[in-house]
Amino acid sequence: MIDRLLKAAITASVALMALLYVAHNIANVPQAFDFFVYTTSHADQQAYPVTLFPVPPKFLIAIGMVLVFSLELIAGFGGLYGAWKLFSLRNASSAEFDAGKRWAKIAMGAAVINWWGLFQGVAVAGYQLWQMPLGEGPFYGSFFFGAMAMMTLIYLGQSEQKA
């Protein structure tokens, strides 16, 4: 029973984090857009001045923002729904509980794709975010947020017997 409650609680905590991030992003859309423009501009890259990814047009930056915000919304709302589902199935059979993990897993997968795939893969590796003075926070933060979601996803994937 403790694993079932923990899976619900941990999923809910990562989901709430995702919702707080997307809420701050939406509340600061002009600043978020400016940050995306800055991080894809190749500005302030002195260690490795050649970046292989091209500077994107502004409409692609807007599409990237929509993708990031959408993944955070899926992680947030999907995660809360998944956590509620897990909590509601805490006394169910092992098969029913495992089947009820669907939305929690989708949500944590969306978080991993966002913070490791888009932030670490595209922004950090592709656009060399690690070189920029303003990139240090997102560089480290996205790794830790992705790790929290991945650890939760791994924990969700473990089956347990009803206690």
Side-chain angles (χ1 to χ4, degrees):
M1 177 68 81
I2 191 69
D3 278 330
R4 292 176 177 207
L5 293 173
L6 283 172
K7 286 176 181 180
I10 294 168
T11 299
S13 68
V14 176
L16 287 172
M17 180 180 67
L19 285 177
L20 286 171
Y21 276 107
V22 76
H24 283 109
N25 286 336
I26 292 169
N28 296 284
V29 168
Q31 292 81 7
F33 183 78
D34 290 345
F35 189 76
F36 273 67
V37 168
Y38 168 70
T39 58
T40 59
S41 71
H42 304 185
D44 300 326
Q45 295 181 340
Q46 296 179 12
Y48 284 34
V50 175
T51 299
L52 299 177
F53 281 13
V55 175
K58 293 196 190 299
F59 81 91
L60 283 180
I61 291 171
I63 290 170
M65 288 176 63
V66 168
L67 183 58
V68 166
F69 293 4
S70 296
L71 287 168
E72 289 172 344
L73 285 168
I74 292 167
F77 287 120
L80 288 180
Y81 177 72
W84 173 81
K85 189 82 169 160
L86 293 176
F87 182 77
S88 69
L89 291 170
R90 68 191 178 279
N91 293 316
S93 70
S94 293
E96 290 172 314
F97 187 78
D98 281 344
K101 295 176 183 179
R102 180 173 190 239
W103 274 104
K105 287 181 174 182
I106 289 169
M108 294 306 102
V112 171
I113 289 166
N114 183 55
W115 288 317
W116 277 0
L118 295 181
F119 278 82
Q120 287 292 313
V122 176
V124 174
Y127 281 101
Q128 303 293 302
L129 182 67
W130 58 271
Q131 292 190 69
M132 301 173 169
L134 295 177
E136 188 172 320
F139 170 67
Y140 288 112
S142 63
F143 177 79
F144 289 113
F145 307 144
M148 287 182 233
M150 180 56 87
M151 287 186 282
T152 304
L153 188 57
I154 291 168
Y155 187 36
L156 287 169
Q158 296 176 347
S159 294
E160 72 287 323
Q161 298 300 316
K162 183 179 165 221

